[in-house]
Amino acid sequence: MVVSVGGDGTANEVLNGLMQAKASQPDAALRAAMGVLCVGRGNDFAYGMGIPSDLETGCQVLVQNRRRTVDIGRVSGGDYPQGRYFGNGVGIGFDAVVGFEALKMKRLSGFPSYIVAALKTIFLYYQAPEVQVLFDGEDIRLRALMVSVMNGRRMGGGFRMAPTARQDDGLFDLCIAEQVSRGRIFGLIPHFMRGTQASQREVRTAQASRLTVQAIHGSLPVHADGETICTHGVQLTLELLPKQVEMVCQPMDVA
């Protein structure tokens, strides 16, 4: 077992190491499971994987050693043409800039830092790029406030981008929001906190195992599990890799 002690960024580094080790060592008997102890800013990866946020319960989960094999995503493009793995999700557009702004904060952490960052981003990110999203025969073109590609359920410590996502169903959950006015962004934020954004006319949800996102006009700021993929990307390819890593976690019905 390899245990990540930190937040989403640390978990992403451990996950990438495990996936690279798996690629170089075909002997399944030598593969390690992954555990997480949450001491980071957002801990969204852990939340989606059924790992408790408090340290004492997290240690108890490691001792109990219950395991579940989960899907892993891979994104290629931007600063990572060779590809980078992710466990929770990829944010393109507004939510990526929110993450970038949250990382700049020294006096705030956790969900409050993302709330403040979201409010700042409303005034920083208002020229949404025109994008083309291709998946499963769908060809969507729009000025996209954001495109979230989720394996987990939550981003930013409390924004429920895909509240019903499962990490072992072989599918990404997509959340695509069109460009709206600054005032309307204020109105949409509570829906993303509650996970009810699919009820809003500006938001489209779908599922896919593979997709491409291309900037037709403008560029794409992108993060994966909070780690910067690029600040001015042009094209991304994302694919879901089923049943890749054993996670040490609680059963999902008690997470």
Side-chain angles (χ1 to χ4, degrees):
M1 185 192 303
V2 179
V3 181
S4 166
V5 184
D8 291 321
T10 305
N12 183 263
E13 292 288 349
V14 171
L15 178 66
N16 273 270
L18 289 174
M19 290 296 291
Q20 291 171 24
K22 180 179 179 179
S24 65
Q25 176 52 263
D27 188 348
L30 298 179
R31 294 176 190 163
M34 180 175 175
V36 178
L37 294 176
C38 298
V39 295
R41 180 186 297 269
N43 301 313
D44 296 310
F45 172 81
Y47 174 83
M49 292 294 174
I51 295 168
S53 59
D54 68 284
L55 197 57
E56 182 176 352
T57 308
C59 290
Q60 293 172 358
V61 168
L62 293 181
V63 172
Q64 292 167 358
N65 196 23
R66 295 174 178 171
R67 300 186 178 192
R68 182 165 66 103
T69 304
V70 299
D71 306 334
I72 298 299
R74 177 182 169 91
V75 56
S76 303
D79 299 337
Y80 293 90
Q82 76 281 11
R84 185 172 180 87
Y85 300 103
F86 62 94
N88 187 55
V90 166
I92 304 169
F94 185 88
D95 53 340
V97 179
V98 169
F100 299 159
E101 291 300 312
L103 288 175
K104 298 176 184 178
M105 297 183 188
K106 305 303 180 184
R107 297 184 179 181
L108 282 177
S109 63
F111 188 46
S113 69
Y114 288 99
I115 286 288
V116 173
L119 297 177
K120 288 180 62 178
T121 303
I122 290 173
F123 298 97
L124 292 172
Y125 188 77
Y126 54 88
Q127 292 294 333
E130 183 180 355
V131 303
Q132 180 184 36
V133 185
L134 298 172
F135 64 94
D136 295 342
E138 296 275 351
D139 184 344
I140 302 173
R141 301 188 184 208
L142 76 165
R143 287 204 172 274
L145 180 69
M146 65 181 182
V147 179
S148 296
V149 182
M150 300 297 297
N151 186 40
R153 298 178 177 181
R154 190 182 77 181
M155 280 187 180
F159 297 104
R160 302 176 66 195
M161 311 303 292
T164 61
R166 292 195 59 87
Q167 296 76 25
D168 55 6
D169 63 356
L171 294 168
F172 289 127
D173 283 62
L174 312 181
C175 182
I176 304 170
E178 66 184 54
Q179 183 178 23
V180 295
S181 68
R182 288 171 174 167
R184 181 58 179 145
I185 295 175
F186 280 105
L188 287 175
I189 286 176
H191 285 283
F192 281 97
M193 293 170 64
R194 295 191 298 264
T196 58
Q197 63 273 11
S199 66
Q200 303 303 293
R201 59 179 175 80
E202 303 95 340
V203 179
R204 175 170 180 170
T205 59
Q207 291 184 309
S209 59
R210 181 181 174 88
L211 68 152
T212 61
V213 183
Q214 181 173 351
I216 300 172
H217 298 292
S219 60
L220 306 173
V222 183
H223 79 82
D225 292 350
E227 298 295 284
T228 302
I229 297 300
C230 56
T231 56
H232 296 89
V234 176
Q235 182 170 322
L236 301 169
T237 299
L238 301 100
E239 59 180 330
L240 194 75
L241 309 175
K243 307 288 187 181
Q244 294 294 307
V245 172
E246 270 195 319
M247 293 296 305
V248 180
C249 58
Q250 292 178 317
M252 287 304 294
D253 59 349
V254 298

